[in-house]
């Protein structure tokens, strides 16, 4: 793949504390059955990479975890809170789960600093000064504090995605979801975003990442999940997954994605 | 193929552009003489301007009569000066007060002047950002409509003036500004309601918008002036002007709602998803994320609707209110000044043009101010 993070993440400890539990989950878009009987346990500190062909339901799966999509059957339990129609539960889970999108979804009418401090101020009632200080801290971590007063439209794609990561981190989430964070970026910019994600993994963040960056999967993930047709086909640790895929479908996918 | 270069790679200095690309010569070449068609159009335009502009200036300024007592007087003055009679502005001068104040009692007209100044003062902090003490000023803006209402209507120490004395430009401003100020929030609420997930709320909004849009404003004004009396319990008197204000506001709100809905739909779905994923509540997302962007996109459409509303205030003449246009038509009946309709209409046109053009320029200013490179 286009760019590998420079250094492999050290062996990170995964705790045995269950943080996300998905059990017998189904989802339909109208009459289209997108997710079929998905079961997934995620432990604190895990870095899970989800891959699969387009339309396999991988984005939908992680979007169900913070209720951007509603599941119709089965259970999703995040941090001991079950996702139901109860708005209180949804709000509680969204406070703990950060998300980065393929197209960044920064707020174009607000400056970078305002993008980052908005949710802490309005959702967590943090005083403005404090929220801005936190925002600056995370902007420094993603290495763009000097852009704080610019608007997103004035930044490059890679910078925008790093702002988006900082914006999520400002809410101090326990879990980060990444929905193809590098797919809309020029090759030159992919690395700067992946580096930030590697840093995040080193600090012990629980991460679920939909991506085609196999280099990232090899070095950072402790588990790779392959989905097709709305089902989890195969899951394994990265070495086994890439060197010794079990299913024909996985082999085909890997041969296609690694061929070029 | 030659790879000879006058300078080493990457060291070519920046050169000034040729004179044909910049400055007056560049501008003329690019904009007036860029092609044969363009040259023909340029020549024709200059010719038409030559035909139209000088006679127009003569009529408006050089041959015009600015003070006289009647039309015949105007003609005599022009003849004495040795030229054709141009515009007889003296007519407007004599009628000026009634054009501005309507039938408002002469000794109370200071109240209109004061209201006008208060209105301007209240608008400044709403329309512009960099106003000293803007926060405090906005409280004044909030109170101003009530103070102005009290000044214009009277009562509580002031001589009451019934609304059938309202007329002229003052009437246009009352209806236009009330309609604009009232219809924006109602329009926003309707647009959000139309996108609501609650079917009942959505249906009410859709029904309201489609009904109001499907009926001509004149019909609504007739309903306002006659029909409402049948529906309301006998004995309720409901001021005619108030009914007009309500109808004009609702009418414009329906259009504004559709313009804003366009703006809402232009926003990528990712914006609301990002707001949701960070835990913002519905009203927070709307107020902080969605509406600021949707309204910005909708500025041209919103101002377009406002300009339309402002000019539609002239329709009140058919239910017996005298806006400037109505006032002008009434003035034409004066035998002393017969045949001067052009002056009247030009004068009224200038008034409307100045108001509407200001709105158009303000909208451009806003668009520029809110541009963030996205």
């Amino acid at each position: 793949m286009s760019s590998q993070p420079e250094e492999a993440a050290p062996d990170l400890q995964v705790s045995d504390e269950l943080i996300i539990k998905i059990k017998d989950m189904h989802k339909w878009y109208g009459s289209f059955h997108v997710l079929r009987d998905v079961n997934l346990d995620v432990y604190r500190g895990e870095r899970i990479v989800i891959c699969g062909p387009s339309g396999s339901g991988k984005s939908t799966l992680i979007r169900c975890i913070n209720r951007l999509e509603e599941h119709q059957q089965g259970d999703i339990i995040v941090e001991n809170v079950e996702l139901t129609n109860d708005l209180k539960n949804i709000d509680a889970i969204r406070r703990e789960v950060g998300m980065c999108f393929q197209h960044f979804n920064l707020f174009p009418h607000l400056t970078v600093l305002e993008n980052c401090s908005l949710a802490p101020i309005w959702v967590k009632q943090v005083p403005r000064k404090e929220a801005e200080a936190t925002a600056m801290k995370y902007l420094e971590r993603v290495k763009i504090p000097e852009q704080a007063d610019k608007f997103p439209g004035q930044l490059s794609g890679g910078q925008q995605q790093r702002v988006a990561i900082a914006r999520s981190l400002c809410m101090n989430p326990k879990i980060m979801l990444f929905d193809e964070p590098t797919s809309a970026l020029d090759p030159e910019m992919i690395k700067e975003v992946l580096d930030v994600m590697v840093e995040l993994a080193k600090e012990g963040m629980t991460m679920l990442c939909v991506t085609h960056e196999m280099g990232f999967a090899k070095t950072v993930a402790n588990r790779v999940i392959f989905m097709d047709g709305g089902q989890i086909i195969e899951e394994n640790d990265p070495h086994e997954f890439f060197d010794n895929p079990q299913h024909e479908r996985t082999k085909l996918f890997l041969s296609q994605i690694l061929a070029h | 193929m030659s790879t000879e270069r006058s300078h080493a790679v990457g060291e070519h200095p920046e050169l000034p552009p040729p004179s044909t690309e910049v400055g007056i010569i560049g501008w003329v070449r690019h904009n007036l003489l860029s092609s044969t068609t363009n040259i023909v159009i340029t020549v024709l335009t200059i010719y038409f301007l030559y035909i139209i502009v000088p006679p127009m200036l003569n009529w408006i300024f050089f041959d015009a009569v600015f003070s006289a007592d009647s039309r015949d007087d105007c003609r005599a003055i022009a003849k004495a000066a040795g030229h054709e009679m141009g515009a007889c502005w003296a007519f407007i001068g004599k009628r000026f007060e009634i054009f501005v104040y309507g039938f408002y009692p002469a000794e109370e007209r200071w109240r209109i002047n004061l209201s006008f100044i208060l209105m301007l003062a209240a608008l400044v902090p709403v329309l512009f950002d960099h106003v000293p003490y803007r926060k405090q000023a906005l409280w004044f803006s909030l109170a101003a409509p009530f103070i102005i209402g009290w000044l214009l209507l009277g009562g509580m120490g002031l001589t009451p003036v019934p609304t059938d004395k309202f007329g002229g430009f003052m009437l246009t401003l009352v209806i236009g500004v009330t309609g604009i100020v009232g219809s924006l929030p109602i329009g926003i609420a309707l647009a959000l309601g139309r996108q609501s997930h609650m079917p009942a709320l959505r249906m009410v909004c859709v029904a309201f918008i489609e009904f109001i849009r499907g009926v001509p404003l004149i019909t609504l004004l007739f309903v306002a002036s006659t029909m409402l009396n049948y529906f309301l319990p006998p004995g309720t008197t409901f001021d005619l002007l108030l009914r007009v204000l309500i109808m004009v506001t609702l009418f414009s709100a329906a259009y504004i709602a559709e313009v804003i809905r366009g703006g809402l739909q232009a926003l990528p779905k990712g914006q609301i998803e990002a707001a949701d994923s960070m835990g913002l509540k519905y009203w927070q997302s709307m107020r902080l994320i969605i509406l600021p962007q949707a309204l910005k996109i909708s500025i041209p459409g919103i101002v377009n609707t406002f300009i339309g509303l402002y000019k539609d205030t002239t329709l009140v003449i058919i239910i017996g209110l005298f806006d400037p246009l109505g006032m002008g038509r009434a003035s034409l009946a004066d035998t002393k000044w017969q045949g001067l309709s052009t002056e009247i209409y030009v004068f009224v046109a200038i008034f409307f043009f100045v108001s509407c053009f200001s709105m158009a320029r303000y909208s451009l200013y806003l668009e520029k101010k809110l541009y963030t490179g996205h």
Side-chain angles (χ1 to χ4, degrees):
Chain A
M1 290 305 285
S2 47
S3 56
Q4 305 242 343
E6 268 168 14
E7 46 199 315
D11 278 335
L12 292 164
Q13 291 305 307
V14 173
S15 83
D16 53 3
E17 182 192 350
L18 196 60
I19 193 166
I20 301 174
K21 183 170 186 60
I22 299 176
K23 193 164 174 291
D24 306 333
M25 194 259 277
H26 292 258
K27 169 164 181 62
W28 288 262
Y29 283 130
S31 59
F32 177 55
H33 199 169
V34 244
L35 291 178
R36 309 173 184 198
D37 193 27
V38 174
N39 285 282
L40 179 65
D41 288 348
V42 181
Y43 294 88
R44 191 180 297 284
E46 277 205 283
R47 291 88 49 206
I48 297 178
V49 162
I50 303 168
C51 59
S54 86
S56 60
K58 51 197 193 305
S59 285
T60 309
L61 171 61
I62 69 165
R63 287 160 60 88
C64 281
I65 294 173
N66 66 349
R67 219 357 121 106
L68 288 185
E69 304 287 353
E70 195 179 328
H71 63 285
Q72 281 90 28
Q73 245 181 57
D75 305 321
I76 300 178
I77 298 163
V78 182
E79 284 266 17
N80 300 319
V81 180
E82 186 177 357
L83 262 183
T84 56
N85 281 325
D86 190 342
L87 287 177
K88 254 199 195 123
N89 288 3
I90 296 174
D91 285 340
I93 287 172
R94 283 177 177 168
R95 268 198 294 273
E96 303 298 335
V97 180
M99 183 158 195
C100 290
F101 300 86
Q102 180 178 4
H103 297 289
F104 332 131
N105 298 354
L106 294 176
F107 305 132
H109 62 302
L110 301 176
T111 64
V112 165
L113 189 65
E114 288 166 340
N115 263 280
C116 293
S117 56
L118 182 98
I121 290 172
W122 291 92
V123 178
K124 290 194 163 173
Q125 274 84 41
V126 177
R128 178 175 297 272
K129 279 259 164 59
E130 201 180 306
E132 286 179 352
T134 313
M136 282 313 292
K137 188 181 92 187
Y138 284 111
L139 286 174
E140 266 158 38
R141 266 183 49 184
V142 300
K143 302 187 185 64
I144 35 176
E146 71 281 0
Q147 313 283 10
D149 294 322
K150 287 198 182 164
F151 288 101
Q154 298 165 311
L155 304 186
S156 73
Q159 291 173 325
Q160 291 194 42
Q161 192 60 291
R162 284 186 282 152
V163 171
I165 294 173
R167 177 175 74 173
S168 298
L169 293 179
C170 283
M171 286 295 280
N172 206 7
K174 306 264 166 41
I175 302 162
M176 282 290 288
L177 308 174
F178 292 88
D179 188 2
E180 306 206 27
T182 55
S183 302
L185 296 177
D186 291 340
E188 295 183 285
M189 296 167 182
I190 292 178
K191 188 175 167 301
E192 63 188 55
V193 171
L194 289 182
D195 284 347
V196 169
M197 291 167 64
V198 171
E199 284 294 312
L200 208 56
K202 281 185 192 168
E203 285 158 24
M205 177 68 78
T206 309
M207 295 164 67
L208 274 84
C209 189
V210 173
T211 184
H212 296 127
E213 293 296 328
M214 292 303 138
F216 177 79
K218 279 177 188 165
T219 49
V220 178
N222 69 312
R223 192 146 51 121
V224 180
I225 289 175
F226 175 72
M227 287 184 74
D228 191 24
Q231 284 177 295
I232 295 181
I233 304 286
E234 186 166 347
E235 57 174 296
N236 219 327
D237 71 79
H239 292 293
E240 282 295 301
F241 181 82
F242 289 108
D243 299 341
N244 190 16
Q246 300 296 310
H247 288 261
E248 283 307 311
R249 192 66 195 83
T250 319
K251 286 175 193 167
L252 180 66
F253 176 77
L254 286 176
S255 71
Q256 281 168 343
I257 200 164
L258 297 173
H260 59 84
Chain B
M1 289 288 283
S2 160
T3 53
E4 264 178 56
R5 294 188 179 90
S6 55
H7 298 268
V9 176
E11 285 180 13
H12 198 293
E14 200 170 302
L15 299 176
S19 67
T20 52
E21 296 304 306
V22 290
I24 295 174
I25 299 173
W27 188 88
V28 168
R29 276 177 67 116
H30 278 290
N31 294 292
L32 301 181
L33 309 170
S34 61
S35 67
T36 322
T37 326
N38 201 341
I39 292 171
V40 171
I41 292 173
T42 302
V43 170
L44 281 178
T45 308
I46 292 172
Y47 176 67
F48 279 121
L49 287 178
Y50 168 74
I51 294 185
I52 293 166
V53 173
M56 211 166 80
L57 288 178
N58 280 342
W59 187 80
I60 295 176
F61 297 110
F62 305 120
D63 295 346
V65 177
F66 292 91
S67 67
D69 289 324
S70 69
R71 186 169 193 242
D72 293 337
D73 206 14
C74 261
R75 186 173 295 135
I77 290 171
K79 209 171 188 182
H83 55 68
E84 293 277 300
M85 188 180 92
C88 184
W89 295 125
F91 180 30
I92 305 293
K94 287 274 189 280
R95 293 267 164 182
F96 190 74
E97 298 216 317
I98 207 166
F99 266 115
V100 174
Y101 301 109
F103 309 112
Y104 214 78
E107 64 277 13
E108 303 290 344
R109 284 177 185 167
W110 62 271
R111 282 154 57 175
I112 294 180
N113 295 340
L114 183 58
S115 300
F116 185 70
I117 293 167
L118 286 180
M119 182 194 79
L120 292 183
L123 282 178
V124 167
V126 176
L127 297 182
F128 302 101
D129 274 351
H130 300 288
V131 178
Y133 301 106
R134 185 168 185 232
K135 270 216 173 111
Q136 291 86 328
L138 281 173
W139 284 109
F140 166 72
S141 304
L142 214 61
F146 300 99
I147 303 172
I148 291 172
W150 168 62
L151 276 173
L152 293 182
L153 294 170
M156 290 194 298
L158 290 173
T159 322
V161 178
T163 54
D164 56 8
K165 299 279 184 223
F166 286 25
F169 297 142
M170 169 253 186
L171 181 68
T172 302
L173 279 177
V174 167
I175 301 174
V177 173
T178 310
I180 287 171
V181 171
S183 63
L184 188 59
I186 299 176
I188 293 173
L190 284 171
L192 291 180
R194 191 167 186 168
Q195 302 227 313
S196 165
H197 294 295
M198 288 176 265
L201 177 61
R202 191 171 60 231
M203 269 181 28
V204 168
C205 291
V206 170
F208 178 88
I209 292 170
E210 298 303 345
F211 172 73
I212 298 274
R213 277 204 308 175
V215 176
L217 178 58
I218 296 187
T219 316
L220 289 177
L221 290 178
F222 272 127
V223 171
S225 72
T226 57
M227 295 290 279
L228 276 184
N229 278 355
Y230 293 112
F231 296 132
L232 292 170
T236 26
T237 51
F238 208 6
D239 188 82
L240 178 62
L241 180 63
L242 182 61
R243 284 182 264 171
V244 168
L245 289 178
I246 292 172
M247 284 302 179
V248 167
T249 305
L250 294 182
F251 186 77
S252 153
Y255 281 84
I256 294 285
E258 286 300 282
V259 170
I260 292 175
R261 188 165 70 96
L264 289 171
Q265 284 180 348
L267 288 190
K269 213 176 155 224
Q271 291 291 309
I272 192 81
E273 286 180 352
D276 279 350
S277 75
M278 295 193 306
L280 289 171
K281 302 248 192 313
Y282 173 80
W283 285 111
Q284 290 175 331
S285 313
M286 288 303 136
R287 192 169 94 65
L288 300 165
I289 310 296
I290 304 303
L291 281 177
Q293 296 184 62
L295 290 177
K296 185 187 121 186
I297 301 172
S298 318
I299 288 171
I302 291 175
V303 173
N304 197 25
T305 309
F306 283 164
I307 287 175
L309 156 87
Y310 193 78
K311 291 187 297 183
D312 278 351
T313 57
T314 49
L315 290 175
V316 296
I317 188 178
I318 59 156
I319 57 166
L321 293 175
F322 284 89
D323 81 305
L325 204 56
M327 230 31 128
R329 289 170 64 94
S331 307
L332 289 176
D334 189 337
T335 47
K336 258 174 47 178
W337 299 96
Q338 255 173 355
L340 294 177
S341 55
T342 316
E343 281 84 344
I344 293 279
Y345 291 132
V346 167
F347 176 62
V348 173
I350 290 171
F351 164 74
F352 277 102
F353 179 78
V354 168
S355 314
C356 296
F357 189 66
S358 313
M359 286 192 245
R361 295 311 295 184
Y362 177 73
S363 97
L364 286 182
Y365 156 82
L366 255 194
E367 279 170 52
K368 226 175 177 170
K369 190 185 82 178
L370 298 177
Y371 179 75
T372 57
H374 191 78

